[in-house]
Amino acid sequence: MKQVDILIIGAGISGSVLAERYAAMGKKVLIIEKRNHIAGNCYDYIDENGILVSKYGAHLFHTNEESVWKYVNKFSQWYPWEHKVIARVDDKTVPIPVNITTVNELFSANITSEEEMKNWLEENRTPIETPANGEEAVLNRVGTVLYEKMFKHYTKKQWDKYPAELDASVLDRIPVRFNYDDRYFSDTYQALPQGGYTQLFENIISHPNIEVLLETDYFDVKDDYSGYEKLFYTGPVDRFFDFKYSLTEKLEYRSINFVSETVDAEFFQENSVVNYPGTEVDFTRIIEYKHFGNQQSEKTTVVREFTVDEGEPYYPVPNPKNGEIYKKYQEEAEKLVDVHFVGRLANYKYFNMDQAFKNALDLFDSLEKKDSITYKTAG
Ligand SMILES: Cc1cc2nc3c(=O)[nH]c(=O)nc-3n(C[C@H](O)[C@H](O)[C@H](O)COP(=O)(O)OP(=O)(O)OC[C@H]3O[C@@H](n4cnc5c(N)ncnc54)[C@H](O)[C@@H]3O)c2cc1C
């Protein structure tokens, strides 16, 4: 049996942050990662066209959390990047989230002010006091015409469920802008790591106390590593318990097929991300990575994203049935001493990157009873 102080399963955000924190306090940390790389779903690399691409979909960092912003700046330089998304709808191209331009373009309206935009939404929305599902949440917010064009089929493509089959919470906070603001996020900090995410993670875990074992599934070696002070598990919660509550009804996840293509042209599309909310194509969006950081290359790489049922689990599917199954696992997890379930898959909850950082930092703080995080870095 091999001795380590802290055993961490998964080298994504959650695992890497906890490794860094424990290594900085002198603990010997081992990270076991089943993939052949670190950085979890944030992993990026230079492809055959010399372009920095993300293996698991474009990752745009945005946060209002001062503490998270401070923390990530310890490990990389960041350059400002205000992300924008456009959508092809019918034969038009419109900004997402919905703003004044979106409505004017799609419905030949002539809105010019915040007040007119609010009036338009008020006239078009279907007020529902307590939306019971995703469809009612969208109708309550924007009404039928926008629902049909922008949300209904996109949701079906993304979740393989119509909005009516999903929790209201999945769609009740869809952003709508009353002005011309065409930024995708409105957070205070919006930036990308200079040198990419993989380099950021290399820096986070570059401490002599941290060892990383790649291409190793924890469940294949678990008996070799049972002598630890604490275990942090960041994989799917149902896998940890051998799917014991999912034998008849599976805890559902959505996965994505990333289909990459080299295009022999300077650019393929006018923006990094173009969404396709309609039924005319099966994919949800096309990403052209060259736009991020204004990269130079003779050719360009585009990736079409098809959301599918089978494959790597990316998105938990929030609905009452899954909620009930997850609750049973959560109760089991809470009974364990010195085993902590951290991150997106272990908590069966979608986290943005900044939430994953914050969650891991907060957990460390709560376990080690620190009043504040002392950003002591490696080495
Ligand atoms: C397609 C997509 C796009 C996204 N875009 C954005 C974005 O633009 N902005 C944003 O803020 N967030 C985005 N996110 C969310 C972001 O990826 C997550 O917040 C982040 O990855 C969560 O980190 P984590 O450590 O919880 O999980 P992960 O990154 O999933 O890390 C878990 C790790 O555990 C490993 N593992 C699992 N089981 C085992 C096992 N049995 N043995 C060993 N290792 C194991 C996995 O291989 C993985 O590397 C996106 C997510 C996806 C899926």
Side-chain angles (χ1 to χ4, degrees):
M1 200 196 302
K2 294 159 194 159
Q3 280 291 329
V4 289
D5 298 330
I6 306 292
L7 182 59
I8 294 178
I9 315 309
I13 294 175
S14 313
S16 302
V17 168
L18 284 156
E20 183 275 326
R21 293 284 76 209
Y22 277 102
M25 66 183 267
K27 299 284 182 191
K28 289 270 177 219
V29 180
L30 175 67
I31 306 179
I32 296 180
E33 168 56 60
K34 71 174 180 189
R35 291 170 172 167
N36 63 358
H37 59 75
I38 60 163
N41 285 337
C42 306
Y43 174 70
D44 53 17
Y45 63 98
I46 305 284
D47 76 356
E48 63 277 16
N49 299 317
I51 298 168
L52 182 71
V53 298
S54 295
K55 183 161 182 187
Y56 307 98
H59 273 69
L60 288 310
F61 186 83
H62 56 102
T63 190
N64 286 321
E65 286 290 341
E66 199 70 40
S67 62
V68 170
W69 180 238
K70 250 186 172 164
Y71 181 81
V72 296
N73 271 275
K74 290 281 176 194
F75 304 100
S76 176
Q77 305 270 336
W78 293 72
Y79 63 90
W81 184 264
E82 289 194 327
H83 187 49
K84 291 184 182 173
V85 176
I86 53 177
R88 308 267 194 241
V89 184
D90 304 332
D91 54 352
K92 303 193 167 91
T93 298
V94 295
I96 283 185
V98 170
N99 67 9
I100 290 180
T101 314
T102 317
V103 171
N104 283 346
E105 287 284 327
L106 288 181
F107 307 109
S108 304
N110 197 18
I111 298 168
T112 56
S113 68
E114 206 164 305
E115 198 189 341
E116 285 173 11
M117 181 69 177
K118 282 183 179 159
N119 287 342
W120 187 93
L121 282 169
E122 212 41 61
E123 279 162 21
N124 282 276
R125 68 188 273 267
T126 315
I128 298 167
E129 207 168 304
T130 317
N133 55 50
E135 178 175 325
E136 292 189 3
V138 181
L139 293 178
N140 180 49
R141 194 125 165 82
V142 297
T144 313
V145 284
L146 274 170
Y147 170 74
E148 287 289 334
K149 281 193 191 301
M150 306 288 285
F151 298 101
K152 182 175 174 181
H153 303 293
Y154 193 84
T155 306
K156 169 73 175 157
K157 286 201 273 189
Q158 187 158 20
W159 297 100
D160 196 26
K161 287 184 170 41
Y162 283 107
E165 303 166 78
L166 289 168
D167 281 359
S169 64
V170 183
L171 289 153
D172 67 355
R173 270 172 285 156
I174 47 163
V176 177
R177 304 263 158 78
F178 302 119
N179 50 28
Y180 293 94
D181 186 355
D182 62 351
R183 294 170 310 156
Y184 197 65
F185 306 112
S186 44
D187 302 51
T188 313
Y189 302 107
Q190 305 186 32
L192 292 176
Q194 200 95 48
Y197 285 98
T198 304
Q199 204 179 86
L200 165 76
F201 281 80
E202 277 164 9
N203 293 339
I204 293 177
I205 59 177
S206 76
H207 191 290
N209 284 357
I210 300 175
E211 192 191 330
V212 184
L213 207 53
L214 292 176
E215 295 184 84
T216 308
D217 189 317
Y218 166 63
F219 298 101
D220 293 339
V221 295
K222 121 183 215 259
D223 294 337
D224 298 342
Y225 294 98
S226 45
Y228 48 76
E229 276 175 32
K230 286 189 178 66
L231 169 77
F232 294 94
Y233 176 76
T234 75
V237 63
D238 47 354
R239 173 69 188 93
F240 191 91
F241 296 104
D242 222 1
F243 306 102
K244 66 194 267 195
Y245 297 118
S246 322
L247 296 175
T248 46
E249 293 212 274
K250 257 178 77 186
L251 197 51
E252 295 167 289
Y253 298 90
R254 291 292 277 164
S255 189
I256 302 175
N257 266 351
F258 298 99
V259 179
S260 180
E261 184 194 347
T262 293
V263 179
D264 198 353
E266 198 189 352
F267 283 105
F268 173 79
Q269 59 192 25
E270 67 272 42
N271 195 53
S272 56
V273 178
V274 179
N275 281 13
Y276 289 81
T279 51
E280 68 282 5
V281 292
D282 289 342
F283 49 83
T284 50
R285 57 182 193 168
I286 302 180
I287 315 241
E288 185 172 18
Y289 281 97
K290 205 178 179 182
H291 289 279
F292 296 119
N294 303 315
Q295 303 181 61
Q296 307 294 316
S297 165
E298 276 175 18
K299 296 181 184 175
T300 186
T301 307
V302 295
V303 179
R304 288 176 178 76
E305 294 188 358
F306 297 82
T307 317
V308 290
D309 268 345
E310 296 300 325
E312 282 278 308
Y314 291 129
Y315 299 109
V317 181
N319 65 17
K321 195 190 85 194
N322 289 321
E324 270 174 38
I325 301 172
Y326 169 64
K327 219 171 131 215
K328 292 184 190 161
Y329 287 117
Q330 193 185 16
E331 280 163 11
E332 288 285 322
E334 279 164 6
K335 285 184 209 153
L336 298 176
V337 181
D338 294 329
V339 178
H340 302 276
F341 291 75
V342 205
R344 197 175 47 97
L345 297 170
N347 288 291
Y348 197 65
K349 187 170 181 217
Y350 182 80
F351 287 133
N352 280 321
M353 287 183 279
D354 65 327
Q355 295 168 311
F357 274 106
K358 179 153 174 35
N359 203 39
L361 289 168
D362 285 351
L363 175 64
F364 174 81
D365 269 5
S366 72
L367 291 173
E368 302 310 320
K369 300 194 174 47
K370 291 219 161 59
D371 293 333
S372 64
I373 303 159
T374 55
Y375 305 110
K376 202 172 129 206
T377 51

